Amino acid sequence: ADLGDPGADFDADGVTNDEERIWGLDPTSGSSVHPVSSPLDASGIFTYTRRSPALTGLAFSYEWSTTLEGGSWQALTPDRENAVGAGPVETVHVTLGAALLTGPRLFVRVKAH
């Protein structure tokens, strides 16, 4: 696979070169496959990495669901989103509102578009 081909998977880890670049991962390392550096915790905070939107031209949005079923995802505006980092990759700390944390299950996803 060619590292210069956005749709290829140079390191054969199941994630395309372009997807790895968008999420601030290393397309040459098979162990660099997940941008979430700290999963959603009981206080409603999670952390992930992404390439700076100024470099990618992409917007990032959030959705939530309690079931993971196709039609169950709803738009989410976090209480707080704080992106930090001096380089091309930034770490984003996201805080959810308390109202979402009341149920027995909560799934959150980040979308790049």
Side-chain angles (χ1 to χ4, degrees), residues 18 20-25 48-58 60 87-90:
D18 202 34
E20 290 197 52
R21 289 183 182 106
I22 289 168
W23 297 108
L25 302 172
Y48 71 97
T49 59
R50 68 183 181 199
R51 194 159 180 82
S52 170
L55 297 174
T56 63
L58 296 171
F60 293 83
V89 176
E90 54 191 25

Side-chain angles (χ1 to χ4, degrees), residues 19-94:
E19 289 170 324
E20 290 197 52
R21 289 183 182 106
I22 289 168
W23 297 108
L25 302 172
D26 182 355
T28 66
S29 171
S31 64
S32 178
V33 295
H34 207 289
V36 176
S37 48
S38 65
L40 183 62
D41 65 20
S43 64
I45 299 171
F46 71 94
T47 305
Y48 71 97
T49 59
R50 68 183 181 199
R51 194 159 180 82
S52 170
L55 297 174
T56 63
L58 296 171
F60 293 83
S61 62
Y62 306 95
E63 295 179 335
W64 68 276
S65 171
T66 57
T67 66
L68 293 176
E69 293 178 21
S72 70
W73 292 97
Q74 298 179 51
L76 164 67
T77 300
D79 276 9
R80 176 196 261 159
E81 177 187 33
N82 182 31
V84 295
V89 176
E90 54 191 25
T91 299
V92 183
H93 305 280
V94 180

Side-chain angles (χ1 to χ4, degrees), residues 96-103:
L96 306 182
L100 283 176
L101 306 175
T102 59

